Each structure stands twice: as structure tokens, then as C-alpha cells.
Amino acid sequence: MLRRSAFLRTAATLAACSLAFPMAAFAQGFPTKPIKLIVAFPAGGPTDITMRQLADNASKILGQPVIVDNKPGAAGTLPAQALQTSQPDGYTVAQIPLGVFRMGYTTKINWDPLKDITYVINVTGYAFGIVVPASSPFKTWADFVAYAKANPGKLTYGSTGNLTSPHLTTEIVAQKAGIELQHVPYKGSADLMLAVVSGQLMAAADSTGFAPQVEAGKLRVLNTWGEKRLAKFPDAPTLKELGYDVVQNSPFGIGAPKGTPPEVVKKLHDAFKQAMEEPSYVAALGRYDMLPNYMSSAQYTKFAQDTVVREKVVIEKLGLAKEK
């Protein structure tokens, strides 16, 4: 009996080791081929430009190409959805915009943003604002609000999609200001900026992808959404300065499929952390008044948990929750 018991213990130990060894060996050799980084917005916008710089930096650290794959649409949630059908081997990772944490309240999905994504690292957050064409009669935010009050539902503004941070934040501000606006969704900043510059829209709520058009004299910034005024647009007041207790910088980072080995997650985390500390990435962010915003895997996971709770309040306040 003792011999049989000892044999079973030995067999169990060997089985555990045989499972652990291939995993350790896999992680040690990772990566041996290109890694795909799925980005939630179209090529040419601020997200794409900054993430491509980050990917280029990480490629040099990992010794394999990190290839950006743009999947715009669905309020920036397509990359997170793509993770649900990707192998948990570290070779597919995705940008996780804030909209992912709202999905469970607004859309019927068969996966859980908290349980079914491995949170690798947070890298930055957006700087946002509202802009109008340079020819617009709205010289200030007060002008904007006055027109909207006199013409309910007639003032058009665009954003980078339904249920994105620019859309929801503008609706919260409109609610606080007592105005009704007409929202027009776009897939990304490039198309949105073309629409507002050409006069198809009266205004746009966006990340600072509008910076080149403002600097070229084609757009005017009416407000920005951070704690402090943006260095590039020192004359534009913050929402808080205008009397709204609203700050929005929409942090985003990188996630991997559920079940990705911890050793692989650590390799990805360490590479992207080093990549975001490179001057080239900081400079790319600086073009849009964005800053590095590092969160470790554990911190990013906790942020996701807290954000899911907070976004429920926003969705319910705006009456946008899906029917049960």
C-alpha cells in the first residue's frame, strides 16, 4: 500500500512538472514570431500614430515585429472583442479604450470585460476638447451654449463613435448646461476632422487629434477636459473652469486574451513599459498633449474593476442602459 501511495505521489509530481516545463520553456522562448497589436481607431489619427511608435519601440526590445492592425468602429470595442477568439499565447494583444468597460451595460455580449481579458499594461490617456470651425460664430463656449438653448437639437457635433468618451462626456456637459445637441458618430478622428473643417458639422468633441487643424488656423478650441489647461491651447478653458465638475482623460492600455500565461504577460508588460519610456514615444504623445500614464498589470486590472462600476453610473444617468 505504501509503495502504491508513493508511486501515485511521484506520478502526480512528474505530471505537474511535465505541464509546467513546456509552459516555462514556451515563455522563455517568447516571442519567436511577430506580435499583432489591434488598435481601436483608424490609421492616421492620434491613437494610431502614438501606438505605432510604441509598437516600433517594443519591436526592438522583443526582437520581433509588433504589427499594428487597425479595427475601427463599435465605439472602439472591436479589438477587445477580437481577443475573445484569439489564442492566449501572447501573439495577439489589443488596445483597450474606456468604452470596453461600458459594453456590459449598453450591448448584449456573451463575454465579460473583467473576466475575459488579461490586462497587461496601461500606457497613456487622451486629452480632449470641443472644437468648431475657425469661421464659426461661436467664439466662446458661452456662445455655443446660447445658440444651443435658442435652437434645441439643431446644433450638430461629431465624435469618434456612439458611447465613446467624447460622446458621453459631451452629453453629460450638455445635460449640466441644460442644452440639447444633435450627435453624429464617426469611426475615427481623421474622418471627424474632415467633416468639421469642411463645415458638415458645427462642432466636434475629440481627442487632440484636432491639434494640427487648430495650429493651421482651421479650427478653434472652445474648451478642454483635463485638470489643467493644455500647453498647446493655453487660452482654452477647462470644463471645471467653466463651472462643470467634469474631468475626462480616458486612460487606455493593452490587453491580452484570457488565459495568457503569466510569464508571457510579464514579458509583454516589461517590453511595453520600456517602450513607453523611450523619448520617441513621449515625443509622439506630446504632439497631442498626451502623457505617459503607466499602470502595472495589477494596477490596470484594479482600474478596470473600478471603472466598470463608475461607468454604470454614467450610463444610467444618461438613460443609455440596454433593456434587460
Side-chain angles (χ1 to χ4, degrees):
M1 192 61 134
L2 288 173
R3 287 180 180 176
R4 184 172 184 275
S5 177
F7 171 78
L8 290 174
R9 283 198 302 271
T10 302
T13 301
L14 288 173
C17 289
S18 67
L19 289 172
F21 180 74
M23 188 60 68
F26 171 78
Q28 187 175 7
F30 176 87
T32 58
K33 61 181 181 179
I35 294 167
K36 179 166 67 174
L37 169 59
I38 309 174
V39 170
F41 298 100
T47 306
D48 175 70
I49 290 169
T50 55
M51 290 297 271
R52 282 182 187 274
Q53 185 62 62
L54 185 71
D56 185 56
N57 293 352
S59 297
K60 296 167 186 173
I61 296 161
L62 289 165
Q64 290 289 342
V66 178
I67 300 169
V68 170
D69 179 15
N70 300 92
K71 286 191 181 298
T77 61
L78 293 182
Q81 294 183 57
L83 292 182
Q84 308 312 308
T85 54
S86 299
Q87 290 296 316
D89 55 12
Y91 289 103
T92 300
V93 294
Q95 179 202 5
I96 309 294
L98 211 62
V100 171
F101 306 124
R102 304 176 185 125
M103 289 190 72
Y105 307 123
T106 61
T107 310
K108 291 182 179 179
I109 54 175
N110 60 2
W111 55 278
D112 188 319
L114 294 182
K115 296 177 182 177
D116 296 323
I117 295 175
T118 299
Y119 290 91
V120 178
I121 185 173
N122 194 81
V123 293
T124 187
Y126 295 107
F128 291 109
I130 291 180
V131 293
V132 296
S135 59
S136 171
F138 308 143
K139 306 300 182 184
T140 65
W141 177 248
D143 295 337
F144 183 100
V145 171
Y147 179 91
K149 284 186 174 180
N151 301 273
K154 292 185 179 179
L155 200 163
T156 60
Y157 81 95
S159 80
T160 47
N162 285 315
L163 303 176
T164 56
S165 293
H167 172 213
L168 294 188
T169 304
T170 302
E171 291 301 321
I172 288 171
V173 173
Q175 199 175 74
K176 289 177 180 291
I179 58 177
E180 180 186 344
L181 306 174
Q182 183 180 336
H183 175 239
V184 184
Y186 287 78
K187 283 189 174 182
S189 291
D191 289 345
L192 174 59
M193 288 301 102
L194 181 61
V196 71
V197 166
S198 64
Q200 297 173 52
L201 292 169
M202 299 171 75
D206 195 14
S207 69
T208 46
F210 54 63
Q213 287 81 10
V214 175
E215 291 164 350
K218 296 178 180 179
L219 294 176
R220 179 185 306 118
V221 187
L222 297 186
N223 60 45
T224 57
W225 300 356
E227 283 283 358
K228 299 177 180 179
R229 294 193 181 198
L230 297 179
K232 272 192 173 65
F233 313 111
D235 296 332
T238 65
L239 290 175
K240 292 184 80 171
E241 288 178 293
L242 293 170
Y244 310 102
D245 189 19
V246 175
V247 174
Q248 177 63 271
N249 59 9
S250 197
F252 68 84
I254 294 169
K258 174 185 176 181
T260 302
E263 298 86 352
V264 171
V265 173
K266 186 177 187 308
K267 276 204 170 184
L268 289 168
H269 165 275
D270 293 352
F272 280 112
K273 183 176 188 295
Q274 188 177 338
M276 66 183 284
E277 292 168 350
E278 292 287 336
S280 57
Y281 179 64
V282 176
L285 293 178
R287 291 174 59 185
Y288 305 103
D289 266 306
M290 298 163 69
L291 295 169
N293 182 8
Y294 167 71
M295 294 182 212
S296 67
S297 300
Q299 290 169 332
Y300 194 21
T301 301
K302 178 65 165 58
F303 169 81
Q305 294 165 347
D306 293 343
T307 303
V308 163
V309 174
R310 186 174 63 249
E311 290 302 312
K312 181 181 181 182
V313 177
V314 174
I315 293 297
E316 289 180 347
K317 185 174 182 180
L318 293 174
L320 297 172
K322 69 176 185 288
E323 293 183 8
K324 295 183 180 179

